[in-house]
Amino acid sequence: MNAMETADLAAGRGALGVGLVVAGIVVLALLIGMFLLGSRKVRDNDSRRPRPDEQPRMPEGGPVREVQEHREPEAMPRTEERLTPHELKGTGNAGTRTGAAEGRPRWDEGGSGGFGSGGPGAH
C-alpha cells in the first residue's frame, strides 16, 4: 500500500466514526424530546392543585385526639341451627361494644422495669 491508499482508508474510517457520533446525537435528541413530550402530557392530565381556601382546616374543637377504650366482642346468638355469615350482625364480621372501664396496667414507680434491666427491683 502506498501513502495515498492509507490516507483514503483513514478518511473513510473517520467519516464512519463521525456518522456514528451524529446518529447517536440524533437518537439522544429524539429520546429527550419524547421524554419531555410525555412528561408534559402527564402534567396536563393531572388535576389542578388546590387553592389556599380549599386546603384542609383544623376542626373547630381543635385537633382530634386518640380515644382509648376497652372493647369486648359481641356474644354469638344461640340458636338450634347453624347461622350463616349474612345472618349475623355487622354483615358477618365480629362486632364489638364498649366494655367495662379497666385501667391499663402501668409501670410501678418502685418496679424494676424489664427483665435484666439492672434495676434494684421491688422488695
Side-chain angles (χ1 to χ4, degrees):
M1 270 193 184
N2 63 20
M4 190 61 122
E5 290 175 359
T6 307
D8 288 342
L9 277 176
R13 288 186 183 151
L16 179 65
V18 169
L20 287 175
V21 169
V22 169
I25 291 173
V26 168
V27 168
L28 182 64
L30 284 172
L31 288 173
I32 290 172
M34 290 170 57
F35 173 78
L36 292 175
L37 182 65
S39 64
R40 183 178 298 155
K41 274 189 166 187
V42 168
R43 189 179 57 224
D44 290 344
N45 290 338
D46 279 348
S47 60
R48 66 173 183 77
R49 293 185 178 173
R51 295 187 307 265
D53 60 317
E54 296 173 337
Q55 295 291 333
R57 301 276 183 240
M58 188 175 300
E60 293 294 326
V64 178
R65 301 286 180 209
E66 179 181 345
V67 176
Q68 293 183 357
E69 63 183 9
H70 182 71
R71 303 291 292 178
E72 292 180 349
E74 295 273 350
M76 283 292 290
R78 298 202 179 264
T79 61
E80 293 293 321
E81 55 198 51
R82 175 182 273 178
L83 294 175
T84 57
H86 73 275
E87 294 172 320
L88 296 173
K89 285 192 227 174
T91 64
N93 297 327
T96 60
R97 57 185 162 78
T98 303
E102 288 183 18
R104 285 180 47 200
R106 298 290 182 185
W107 177 67
D108 293 327
E109 192 58 44
S112 64
F115 176 77
S117 65
H123 295 293

